[in-house]
Amino acid sequence: MSKQMTINAEFAKGLWEHNPVLRQLLGMCPTLAVTTSAINGVGMGLATTFVLTCASLMISLLRKLIPGQVRIASFIVVIATFVTIVDLTMKAQFPEMSKSLGAFIPLIVVNCIILGRAEAFASKNNPGRAIIDALGMGLGFTASLTTLGGIREVLGNGTLFGVQVMPHQYVPWIVMILPAGAFLTLGLMLGIYNKFNHRHEEAALRAARLAAAAKGV
Amino acid sequence: MANPSGTGSELPAVSEGNLHLVTSPHVHFGWSTARIMWLVTAALLPCLAVAVYHFGPGVLAPVAGAIVGAVGTEWVLNRASRRPDTVGDGSAFLTGLLLGMIVPPGFSPVHAALGGVVAIGLGKAVFGGLGHNTFNPALVGRAFLQASFPAGMTDWSTAVARVDAVSRATPLGLLKFGDPSQFPADLATERLLAGNIGGCIGETSAAAILLGGVILVATRIASWHIIVSMLAGGALFGGLFHLAGVGPSPLFHLLSGGFLFGAVFMATDYVSSPLTHRGQWIFGLGIALLTIMIRLFGGLPEGVMYAILLANAAVPLINRATRPTIYGAKR
């Protein structure tokens, strides 16, 4: 029972509480650069999730063999292997998306989220937990990128996943698909995320205080 | 002059029987934020009147849109963050009016309102409200509009023109992209002074802006250091390049585009300009240099907006560099 709970928590923490984009602010380069549309966000997110999950599994399996002094270099070799797989697969299967994501697919090699999870989690936990953690983080990354890309696509192009959602009279705000729009949207998303969490924490604190007071009586 | 009520200041005062406590400053000029804001608004009226005369009453639509957007955002955000209402101090109204003055005469009122929302929301409120913003809010709104609607922001032809001449390219646009010899009259100094040329709503008539500037300097609202240094810088750098055979005469630089409007109404914003006079000189000269460089060597015909925003970003540095030495302290 309690083990099940921890696995659930391990998975869920990447989605919200320790969300790689909104809380850890890692992987900002692809987050800001490729999210000009929702579909780009999905593509980038899933590619990263695949690399993250496979790399976490491998690193967790190898964690007792890799000497501490060369661990970062070893992690990079493992990660680069999977990035190459993703890059070539996307070029063959989804050439259009591969073109629009450009250099950011090969750059997954140096994505901080992957290296961060490898260093902080996979190299210290068993393969099962490493996979669950990687999936949670990867899907949290994907969800954030898709939301960011969706907002920018709707406002900057009038479409969502390529489907026209805004009325025809709507004049797109071109700034939203320019780099400035990425910063503005991400900033506002972070603000809303923090506001929501503060409110949540305050409510939890009040509830705890009430419970303590009730116990005292 | 310990007068807690009626000075217009919002200083806290405590009264208890015969004991009467008021915090400093005790000698107060008696001017409130609201009074300054409404005086600047009054100083803008000549420009607005000239715009209505040249472009027709249609120009009031984008101006009203920008004001509604700015004031509405101020009201909503104060409500949402449970802060005291600051709509009454007139700063949001002024930001909206300033933004409305620097869009083309035929600009969509809805888009102008969006600019007002961005100016107050992203230009001011996110930093903590009036007095906390790094950048001039009206220019933040305009930069957003410029990047969002590049076609609408450079469309000078939709104006309801009373005079034929106003419905074509701006003088700077002619110099950059067109053939100036086709419309030599548009580049004449009288036209630039009177304002019957293409351009943003409030920026075309140099005479009206100068009148507003005289009001601001006479009432000591605006720092003359910034205005004079920016004009001197424009004349100096524009003149140097002109002597070297690049670009128009320095007088044309000063009177065309948004140079005067920026110098009088934008660069002199209290919040986003340097504190010391020395800093203000550096600030004004810097804006002038950036403007001339963008105009002559950049991809855009006009650069006052970006020049002022860039200089705004340098203000904390200027303030630190020009901090006066305390009397008696070692240099």
Side-chain angles (χ1 to χ4, degrees):
Chain A
M1 178 66 194
S2 85
K3 184 151 194 188
Q4 187 61 40
M5 286 287 282
T6 46
I7 283 176
N8 278 345
E10 214 73 81
F11 180 71
K13 72 175 193 287
L15 294 183
W16 184 266
E17 201 189 337
H18 292 178
N19 185 295
V21 173
L22 299 176
R23 173 51 61 90
Q24 304 184 41
L25 289 156
L26 290 177
M28 285 295 108
C29 186
T31 301
L32 293 166
V34 305
T35 52
T36 49
S37 67
I39 194 72
N40 276 0
V42 173
M44 186 70 211
L46 290 182
T48 309
T49 306
F50 172 79
V51 176
L52 178 57
T53 311
C54 296
S56 285
L57 173 64
M58 285 306 287
I59 288 165
S60 179
L61 286 171
L62 297 171
R63 70 188 188 277
K64 290 180 182 141
L65 299 176
I66 298 175
Q69 293 91 330
V70 293
R71 65 187 190 284
I72 301 286
S74 314
F75 297 162
I76 295 277
V77 172
V78 172
I79 296 165
T81 311
F82 291 107
V83 171
T84 311
I85 296 174
V86 168
D87 191 25
L88 294 178
T89 311
M90 283 185 87
K91 271 194 182 126
Q93 299 295 324
F94 314 102
E96 210 160 293
M97 175 169 286
S98 173
K99 207 171 277 172
S100 74
L101 295 181
F104 289 96
I105 291 294
L107 279 175
I108 294 176
V109 175
V110 285
N111 189 312
C112 295
I113 300 170
I114 299 175
L115 209 54
R117 290 333 282 172
E119 171 80 4
F121 200 91
S123 60
K124 292 170 187 159
N125 285 284
N126 63 43
R129 286 165 66 91
I131 287 189
I132 297 293
D133 172 77
L135 278 175
M137 288 290 163
L139 292 181
F141 184 64
T142 310
S144 309
L145 257 62
T146 310
T147 312
L148 182 56
I151 296 172
R152 291 179 66 193
E153 191 184 348
V154 168
L155 294 177
N157 203 25
T159 59
L160 185 60
F161 289 106
V163 182
Q164 186 80 27
V165 290
M166 289 302 228
H168 282 288
Q169 303 92 309
Y170 177 76
V171 186
W173 309 357
I174 293 168
V175 69
M176 296 309 282
I177 50 173
L178 299 176
F183 282 100
L184 289 178
T185 316
L186 180 67
L188 292 175
M189 274 173 71
L190 289 173
I192 294 168
Y193 175 85
N194 282 339
K195 184 89 193 158
F196 189 89
N197 280 350
H198 285 171
R199 201 166 278 179
H200 202 68
E201 277 158 23
E202 271 166 27
L205 211 66
R206 258 202 306 277
R209 233 180 261 144
L210 277 177
K215 210 181 257 178
V217 170
Chain B
M1 241 187 83
N3 179 9
S5 61
T7 55
S9 75
E10 296 102 35
L11 302 169
V14 179
S15 291
E16 216 176 295
N18 286 333
L19 181 67
H20 195 69
L21 296 174
V22 182
T23 52
S24 63
H26 298 295
V27 180
H28 189 271
F29 196 40
W31 280 36
S32 61
T33 308
R35 189 156 167 190
I36 291 172
M37 295 297 167
W38 293 119
L39 257 167
V40 179
T41 305
L44 277 163
L45 287 180
C47 300
L48 192 61
V50 170
V52 170
Y53 174 77
H54 284 308
F55 302 117
V59 296
L60 296 176
V63 172
I67 292 172
V68 168
V71 174
T73 309
E74 179 98 347
W75 189 83
V76 168
L77 289 179
N78 278 330
R79 275 300 129 95
S81 57
R82 297 195 189 89
R83 283 162 189 265
D85 197 20
T86 50
V87 169
D89 71 15
S91 63
F93 183 94
L94 179 61
T95 299
L97 179 62
L98 281 169
L99 175 65
M101 301 289 263
I102 49 176
V103 296
F107 197 64
S108 150
V110 178
H111 291 168
L114 173 70
V117 172
V118 172
I120 296 294
L122 297 179
K124 196 173 87 174
V126 289
F127 298 106
L130 186 65
H132 299 276
N133 45 299
T134 312
F135 299 100
N136 185 319
L139 287 178
V140 171
R142 190 184 195 274
F144 182 88
L145 292 178
Q146 174 96 62
S148 290
F149 313 111
M153 283 298 283
T154 48
D155 183 1
W156 315 105
S157 65
T158 44
V160 189
R162 284 171 65 111
V163 193
D164 288 341
V166 290
S167 59
R168 50 174 184 258
T170 64
L172 284 167
L174 277 175
L175 278 188
K176 193 102 190 178
F177 306 121
D179 178 9
S181 60
Q182 236 179 317
F183 309 103
D186 273 16
L187 309 181
T189 307
E190 315 87 75
R191 284 249 172 132
L192 295 173
L193 280 170
N196 50 345
I197 45 169
C200 290
I201 293 172
E203 72 176 15
T204 55
S205 168
I209 298 166
L210 285 174
L211 178 60
V214 168
I215 297 175
L216 291 187
V217 171
T219 53
R220 296 231 188 155
I221 289 177
S223 142
W224 64 265
H225 300 85
I226 295 177
I227 301 177
V228 169
S229 63
M230 199 171 144
L231 295 182
L236 173 68
F237 301 122
L240 283 178
F241 281 115
H242 185 63
L243 285 181
V246 185
S249 73
L251 185 65
F252 181 82
H253 269 304
L254 296 187
L255 296 181
S256 64
F259 201 96
L260 267 181
F261 195 85
V264 171
F265 292 108
M266 295 294 177
T268 53
D269 175 24
Y270 291 132
V271 184
S272 53
S273 59
L275 298 168
T276 60
H277 290 162
R278 210 147 49 96
Q280 290 172 347
W281 274 91
I282 298 172
F283 181 71
L285 291 173
I287 294 173
L289 179 62
L290 284 169
T291 303
I292 303 288
M293 296 303 276
I294 295 174
R295 279 184 181 180
L296 296 180
F297 307 108
L300 298 165
E302 174 62 309
V304 172
M305 171 178 74
Y306 294 118
I308 296 179
L309 285 172
L310 285 169
N312 284 163
V315 164
L317 195 64
I318 297 175
N319 277 339
R320 179 176 294 196
T322 60
R323 191 164 53 189
T325 329
I326 299 166
Y327 180 68
K330 278 184 190 143
R331 278 193 176 268

